[in-house]
Amino acid sequence: MTGPALADPGSGQDGSPAGLPSPLDSVADMRASAKWTIGALAAVGAALLGGAPLSAVGKIHGLGSASAAFGGLVIALAGIGWAIWHTTDALLPISTTLAAIGQPELAGLREQIQADPTAFFGAFGSSVEDLEQQCIFWQTAAAKAAVRLAAEPDEIRGRQLVQGIADAQANAANAGARLRWLLELAHAWRVRDQLRRARLQTFAGAVVAALGAVLFVAATTAPQ
């Protein structure tokens, strides 16, 4: 006997807790935000490189003012480039496995899992290892029952084995779906972490760009 299908009312059709949508849906939104940020930064950089130097050509007199204006422009563009460089990191594809849940960058996710393991693992244990073992167990149980069914001459026992196979396959599918959902959640969490780091770098780059812009303006408006 393989045992009855485990009751898991908190699972949606895709195996996610409480039928929540796939965490991968949020990855597309986060990367769209990163693309928008890159576009805005590129527009600012184009304005600095295109319009500002041309409009200030007649206001620069002497090597000192020219050097200061050039230095300010370089600093501003370096800040914009720095911000774009790090924001682009959030768009790079990353490979995520369930082992990533044990990494320091996913400490926040682990805290949530430990606070309510049933919400993440359902009736399949209290850890990723338990969930993986349950998935393998029910897959193996279904396979063994199928072998027994092929050699079972008794009709009643055959029907029992058919039901047992269906239950084992349902449990294996449910556990596998939860594993996939956890993997997607870990991946989305890592992308979010990338985007958060990129925002800090973007802020730092904006500060540097603002400093460069101030130096450029000061050099082009200094009294002669």
Side-chain angles (χ1 to χ4, degrees):
M1 295 295 291
T2 58
L6 298 180
D8 196 7
S11 175
Q13 292 182 352
D14 60 352
S16 62
L20 296 176
S22 170
L24 295 182
D25 295 341
S26 64
V27 172
D29 293 336
M30 288 187 286
R31 286 183 168 159
S33 298
K35 291 179 181 178
W36 183 90
T37 302
I38 292 173
L41 291 170
V44 173
L48 287 174
L49 185 61
L54 294 176
S55 63
V57 169
K59 302 177 183 179
I60 299 176
H61 303 282
L63 182 60
S65 295
S67 299
F70 177 77
L73 191 59
V74 168
I75 291 173
L77 292 177
I80 295 296
W82 177 271
I84 291 177
W85 178 277
H86 286 278
T87 303
T88 304
D89 285 344
L91 299 177
L92 297 177
I94 57 176
S95 177
T96 303
T97 66
L98 288 171
I101 296 178
Q103 297 176 355
E105 61 182 321
L106 269 66
L109 176 58
R110 286 199 305 277
E111 291 177 0
Q112 291 189 16
I113 292 176
Q114 292 168 3
D116 189 5
T118 302
F120 294 87
F121 305 113
F124 299 101
S126 59
S127 68
V128 173
E129 291 75 17
D130 289 344
L131 187 56
E132 289 177 323
Q133 290 174 2
Q134 285 288 305
C135 187
I136 295 173
F137 172 81
W138 289 112
Q139 288 174 343
T140 303
K144 289 181 177 179
V147 172
R148 291 174 58 188
L149 176 62
E152 179 59 58
D154 185 74
E155 183 178 351
I156 296 177
R157 289 285 299 168
R159 287 198 298 268
Q160 291 175 341
L161 285 170
V162 168
Q163 182 60 50
I165 291 171
D167 291 342
Q169 290 176 337
N171 289 333
N174 201 344
R178 282 187 174 271
L179 278 174
R180 289 191 298 273
W181 190 86
L182 280 170
L183 181 60
E184 293 173 0
L185 183 60
H187 182 75
W189 203 280
R190 291 185 65 197
V191 173
R192 187 194 70 161
D193 188 64
Q194 278 187 320
L195 188 57
R196 284 185 170 181
R197 291 197 304 269
R199 285 175 178 172
L200 292 176
Q201 298 293 344
T202 298
F203 178 76
V207 171
V208 173
L211 175 62
V214 169
L215 292 175
F216 180 83
V217 171
T220 55
T221 57
Q224 305 300 321

